[in-house]
Amino acid sequence: MAISNETKRAITYSLLAHINNSKNLSNGQLDLFVPIVKKALAIIANCGSERIMGKHIGEIGNVVYDNTGIEIPIPVLRNILKLISNEVNTDETCFALNNDDSFIIKSYVFADYDVFLQTSEIEISKIQDLFKQFCKINKVDAQDDDLIKFIESNRDTLSTYLTQNNCFNNKDYTIAARFVEYFRPLPQVFDQIKEIYLGSILTSYLEYKPNNLKLSVELLFDTNFIISLIDLNTPESTQTCRKLVEIGKSIGFTFHILSDTIEEIQGLLRFKADNFDKSILQKYVNKEDIFNACIRRHLNKTDLQRISDSIEKTLVNDYNITVIPYTEHIRNKAKFSQEYSNLKPYRNTDKSALHDATCIQYVKDKRGNKRITDFAKVNCWWVNNAVSHDFDNEGISALITSQHGCMPEMIKVDDLLNILWLSNPSIDADIIADIGLTSLMASTLNKNLPKVRILKELDDNIRKYKNEIITERDVFLLSTRIANGQIKDLEKINKLAESDTEAFNQRIKDEANKQEKIEQNRAQTLEKIVNTLQKEILTIRENQKDLKKNYEEKGIEIQETVNQKEEEIRKHKTEYQKLEEKNANYLEEINKLREEKRKSWIDKQVRKWRWKTWWWILGFGALLFVFVFLIIRLQVTNPGASKHINVIFNNPFISWIGSIVSSIIEIGLIINICGKYDVSKVKDYKEQLDIPEELQELR
């Protein structure tokens, strides 16, 4: 069966988290993505041809996407390929990247993470199957990949800050959030989910490198952040907010809070203290409610009042948070702002809307009322803990999407922590995953909770009208059904309380009984499923160890073979070098012998060349000697003829002609013979000689 892109991404996310945890990133965070690109090169190189030539690296990007479900932008892919090219091209060129982004793959094999990917694929498949069964047990229809999309959704919110891409997905992922929450105590499931979460956040490096962040950043804390900071929310929320304060201090952030926010916190705590004994339902429905924290921490009404009275002192002394005392001028601006108009429909009271608008106005003023498009250039944020279930998603979207590509004034604490982690990976990734998933679960589940007004009304009605058949357990089970969104007509139940008290109590009892049966059936079914899953995952892990062991043994065997071959090659190289040296010596001897013969032959040719002129000189001299000899003899033997000869030789004309001819011949022969002893002319002659092949130098 074909694997969906979501599942491919989940497997890749697990790999990225695994590589990140190894902390062996010598070339920076791009090293995270080197293995998945190497795998793509290996796939391309395995197409059957010895030499693969590609027109553009986009072809590699397409293979990466097909294999992992991850899109790598071309500029980032180019940089990754340069890293790979520098790494793999040692003895020979296996991968060549050209200036025009074309490429050549000669040979390439990469299987370093195959065992991990195989087991990761199986584990993720098991968790997806578990999610399907969880949905079936809870009688909820959900798509196969909803769990992965839910985990990825936090990365989409980061895109708002890092790349100005508004990627809001309004799909209801409540069942996925409940699944993660339910299986949180089970490491075999939750650890895999954390890896997917971390890997999805790490892919932000492909679009944005969050370095060079401003350190002179001011954080303005919202009410819900402070409530979590002082441990009046869930333990996880407290951990999140305190972790931000801890990291913020270490990198030089400053912390502020408006006096208006102090007043809002004190008003909220007093209200909770006044209604402390009146709350029956709310403390169970919303885990982030102050009443729920009071139960956990064993706090009473007086404790809440004490915390309210000392809140400013606590923030200043314990957390170094500076209070902004005079806010009237900011509040006056906020009254006429668009944000105030936008917020009023979504907040419980106009006062709450004005408070939020004032916080936004404060941040705007701190930013100099400039439109900032780069996260790294922001000098002030309004930090919010989690989405209140009274603040509809559309309200948040209105604040963020209205920025037209600019940085919003508000940021959630977990989003800010994620970005700080990306810029400083030394922060514990496990804590970041816990924080991120907890916040994601809380905000998702809270979106589906009924309005506080309706819950409070139902709470009051239960307190007023419940009879002896309604137990504390019934109220808890009823709150579970409300929290799970299984009761859609709360207002109708509230009306029933006033018109028919008996029917009201019976409806509550019926809803509690329904939930009791669901929980019993679900507990039994899930226990079987979880036990089976644990056994399967343990088997997978054992198989992974065996596979890894076999892979390592095979790797050792292959390495030994490679070493043996390399040793043979070294021996052959040594023998070849000896033969080369021997051949070079032999060649040198032959060339020396040929050089001697060649020199002898050239000298011989030069002598021949010179003797040609000498033969002319000797011939001319011999002829002259014979001529003189014959004249003398003729004079001796024939005096008459001698008289005629003397007349001829005494003739001036004849004598002149003879002298000229003789001189020409003598001068010509002298010049010719002298030239053949001239060094430059001799050199020219030698160069023109056609050396016989058997006397030429061997190469």
Side-chain angles (χ1 to χ4, degrees), residues 98-161:
N98 302 319
N99 291 332
D100 63 351
D101 280 345
S102 61
F103 62 92
I104 301 171
I105 302 177
K106 186 177 179 183
S107 61
Y108 199 74
V109 176
F110 181 75
D112 288 7
Y113 293 98
D114 282 1
V115 172
F116 178 86
L117 290 171
Q118 288 169 12
T119 53
S120 181
E121 180 180 342
I122 296 170
E123 287 184 11
I124 288 170
S125 175
K126 293 294 180 186
I127 289 173
Q128 285 180 301
D129 288 341
L130 181 60
F131 175 64
K132 290 178 194 174
Q133 294 179 64
F134 184 82
C135 294
K136 186 176 179 181
I137 292 167
N138 286 278
K139 299 179 180 179
V140 176
D141 292 329
Q143 295 180 2
D144 293 349
D145 296 315
D146 276 357
L147 176 62
I148 295 167
K149 289 177 182 176
F150 164 70
I151 299 168
E152 286 181 316
S153 62
N154 200 68
R155 184 205 183 282
D156 292 339
T157 63
L158 287 186
S159 293
T160 303
Y161 302 101

Side-chain angles (χ1 to χ4, degrees), residues 562-576:
V562 169
N563 292 340
Q564 186 179 349
K565 293 292 181 184
E566 286 178 348
E567 184 62 32
E568 290 177 8
I569 290 169
R570 277 195 292 272
K571 286 180 181 177
H572 288 313
K573 269 188 176 181
T574 304
E575 291 173 4
Y576 179 75

Side-chain angles (χ1 to χ4, degrees), residues 1 34 37 63 108 111 135 155 314 390 402 454 556 628 667 685 694:
M1 192 174 94
V34 166
V37 177
V63 176
Y108 199 74
C135 294
R155 184 205 183 282
T314 300
D390 278 328
S402 64
I454 299 173
I556 293 169
V628 172
I667 291 168
Y685 176 73
E694 64 272 12

Side-chain angles (χ1 to χ4, degrees), residues 11-47:
I11 296 166
T12 307
Y13 294 152
S14 293
L15 174 62
L16 293 175
H18 175 73
I19 297 169
N20 183 75
N21 291 337
S22 70
K23 300 297 182 186
N24 186 24
L25 307 176
S26 57
N27 296 305
Q29 301 304 321
L30 277 186
D31 272 353
L32 289 168
F33 306 96
V34 166
I36 64 177
V37 177
K38 279 184 175 179
K39 189 63 182 177
L41 293 179
I43 292 170
I44 296 172
N46 199 30
C47 292

